[in-house]
Every structure is written in C-alpha cells, then in structure tokens.
Amino acid sequence: MLTHPTLEQLRQLKLDGMADAFAEMSKQDDTANLSHAEWLGLLVEREIASRNTRRFQTRMRSAKLRHIGAAVEDVDFRTPRKLDKAQFQQLATGRWINDARNLMITGPCGVGKTWLACALGQRACRDNLTVIYQRLPRLFADLELAHGDGSFPRIFRSLVKADLLILDDWGPDRLTVGQRRDLMEIVEDRHGRGSILITSQLPVTAWHAVIDEPTFADAILDRLVHNAHRLELDGHSMRRAGNTAENVDEGQRA
C-alpha cells in the first residue's frame, strides 16, 4: 500500500483527521480484514470528529470565557446555594438559547454565578453556537474608547451576532448616560434574535435603580427580563470549599 503518497495527498487536501486515521489504521493488524467501504467509513468518521473538535476550539477561543474549564457535567449540586438541579439541567440543554430567551443568575459573592455562566457558555460552544463573554464594567470601558477611535460598529456587530452574550457582574454602580445608551442598543438589537445571560450580586428588582433613568430602565428591563429564566442563588462563598472542579476554580479567584 502506498502509505506515504496517500498521507501526503490527504494533508494537501487538508483532510488531517482522515490522514491521522489512515496512518493509525495502516499499522493495526485487525483492520486488514475491513472492506473498502468500512475503511472509508472509519476515515470519514474521524475527519468529521476532527473538524468538530477544531470548530469547538475556535468557538471557545472567540468566547474568551473566564473559566475555560467550566462544564455543566461538573456542577456541584451538593453545595447549599439553592441551585435547582432540574432547572439547571434543563438550561444545560440549550433550548433557551435556541429560543432566543435570556437568563438572569443572581446571588451573593462567591456562590459560583460566573462559573455556572461559563459552564453554560462552554456547553453552547459544544452545541455549535457562538458565545461572547464580557464583564460589564470592562465592556462599558471598551465601548467608551470605541466611540472615540471609530471601532464601535465592529465591536457592536460582534456583540449582536453571537448566539449567546454573557454579561458578567452587573451593578452595583449606576450607569452613566453613555452606558445606558450602549446597553439599550445592544439589548434592542439582540431582542428576539439572540440570548443574553447576565450575572449580578443584585436581585433583579434592584436593576431599575442601577440603570438610573426611568424611561431607559423600563425599556431595557422589558426586553431583558420579560420571559427570561432566572437562577436566584443564596448561601456562603464556595471559594474556601472542598476540592470539586467547581470549587477549585472559584477558589483560584479568592
């Protein structure tokens, strides 16, 4: 069998998954009895898996999640923080993202809001969806600079196009005039088209005061909160807790 020329041609066609599988299978005695169709089927399966992995890695790099190791399978439901297991597992299916609904995760510092948000974001990347993670204070600062240097349209498009936009750490500082305007544009353009996940130490009932202008507050919250899912957590900080995957990740930020 002309192993090397075949591998070279597969690499030239950028069929790296098939090339790797071909090299491995050529060395295995138990593949000698496979039919041509079976060989081809295994090569195609490996190429599909390889491409899916590369696409997932690309989506994760673009998402820039704060906790890249967070996964819905590692969520600690034993910690007393009022996390409803059935509700979270339903959210982990991603149906709410496909339906362009929003999610609000609220609770005191250290109960894992950001970690849970990143776990849902990682699952969305696995489900072939695009995700962007932003801390709201940093996002507002970047948008203020973008208005001055002309990059606002580009940044705004990226925020609007993603299937899931994670806005971490809402409040407690009141929004400025510019921040209210930018948030209103983002929320308005995403309404009914893409999902927004917001984490906050403040209960949703306090968000109106953070926006600090009744007309804007009514318009923004109507689009954000109406028909949205809510995870309302409570309890003590997990950052000094035991060594589950979630607790260790949270503890690194203590």
Side-chain angles (χ1 to χ4, degrees), residues 53-86:
T53 298
R54 291 198 299 270
R55 282 194 290 265
F56 167 71
Q57 292 170 343
T58 298
R59 289 191 294 271
M60 284 291 287
R61 285 194 296 270
S62 297
K64 298 181 180 178
L65 299 175
R66 184 164 186 172
H67 298 297
I68 59 174
V72 295
E73 292 82 3
D74 294 331
V75 172
D76 183 1
F77 293 104
R78 298 168 299 175
T79 301
R81 51 176 166 173
K82 297 184 178 179
L83 175 60
D84 187 292
K85 183 175 181 178

Side-chain angles (χ1 to χ4, degrees), residues 17 68 71 92 113 123 178 198 204:
I68 59 174
K113 300 182 298 296
R123 177 54 188 263
I198 294 180
V204 174

Side-chain angles (χ1 to χ4, degrees), residues 183-193 196 219 223:
L183 183 60
M184 181 66 209
E185 287 193 40
I186 293 169
V187 170
E188 174 64 27
D189 273 48
R190 291 189 61 84
H191 183 58
R193 302 178 184 176
I196 298 177
R223 291 160 176 76

Side-chain angles (χ1 to χ4, degrees), residues 67 70-72 74-77 81 83 88 103 105 111-122 166 197 199 231 233 238 246 250:
H67 298 297
V72 295
D74 294 331
V75 172
D76 183 1
F77 293 104
R81 51 176 166 173
L83 175 60
F88 187 84
L103 171 61
I105 303 180
V111 295
K113 300 182 298 296
T114 299
W115 198 96
L116 293 173
C118 289
L120 291 170
Q122 192 252 28
I166 300 175
L197 190 165
T199 74
L231 283 179
L233 308 178
M238 298 174 62
E246 183 178 351
E250 281 293 322

Side-chain angles (χ1 to χ4, degrees), residues 38-243:
E38 289 171 329
W39 256 80
L40 180 59
L42 291 173
L43 294 179
V44 170
E45 284 181 9
R46 180 68 74 84
E47 181 62 30
I48 291 173
S50 176
R51 292 189 181 197
N52 286 339
T53 298
R54 291 198 299 270
R55 282 194 290 265
F56 167 71
Q57 292 170 343
T58 298
R59 289 191 294 271
M60 284 291 287
R61 285 194 296 270
S62 297
K64 298 181 180 178
L65 299 175
R66 184 164 186 172
H67 298 297
I68 59 174
V72 295
E73 292 82 3
D74 294 331
V75 172
D76 183 1
F77 293 104
R78 298 168 299 175
T79 301
R81 51 176 166 173
K82 297 184 178 179
L83 175 60
D84 187 292
K85 183 175 181 178
Q87 182 188 13
F88 187 84
Q89 289 178 334
Q90 181 63 33
L91 292 170
T93 67
R95 182 174 179 179
W96 60 283
I97 304 175
N98 294 325
D99 293 340
R101 296 180 63 180
N102 299 327
L103 171 61
M104 316 288 118
I105 303 180
T106 59
C109 180
V111 295
K113 300 182 298 296
T114 299
W115 198 96
L116 293 173
C118 289
L120 291 170
Q122 192 252 28
R123 177 54 188 263
C125 288
R126 284 158 54 188
D127 290 339
N128 202 27
L129 300 173
T130 54
V131 178
I132 290 180
Y133 168 91
Q134 289 277 358
R135 286 192 68 251
L136 260 176
R138 176 64 181 270
L139 175 61
F140 284 141
D142 289 345
L143 292 178
E144 184 177 359
L145 291 174
H147 282 293
D149 65 18
S151 61
F152 180 82
R154 176 181 56 81
I155 296 176
F156 182 78
R157 282 194 301 271
S158 69
L159 295 172
V160 171
K161 285 173 58 180
D163 296 307
L164 173 62
L165 175 62
I166 300 175
L167 299 178
D168 191 20
D169 204 14
W170 167 285
D173 295 334
R174 295 177 185 271
L175 302 188
T176 66
V177 173
Q179 291 170 348
R180 283 195 296 267
R181 181 191 63 236
D182 289 341
L183 183 60
M184 181 66 209
E185 287 193 40
I186 293 169
V187 170
E188 174 64 27
D189 273 48
R190 291 189 61 84
H191 183 58
R193 302 178 184 176
S195 297
I196 298 177
L197 190 165
I198 294 180
T199 74
S200 178
Q201 294 184 44
L202 301 176
V204 174
T205 53
W207 292 8
H208 198 282
V210 172
I211 298 173
D212 200 30
E213 202 287 326
T215 303
F216 271 93
D218 289 343
I220 291 172
L221 293 180
D222 178 67
R223 291 160 176 76
L224 278 179
V225 179
H226 175 68
N227 207 30
H229 295 281
R230 297 192 194 185
L231 283 179
E232 298 175 348
L233 308 178
D234 199 0
H236 300 291
S237 174
M238 298 174 62
R239 293 175 185 167
R240 304 297 182 188
N243 291 330

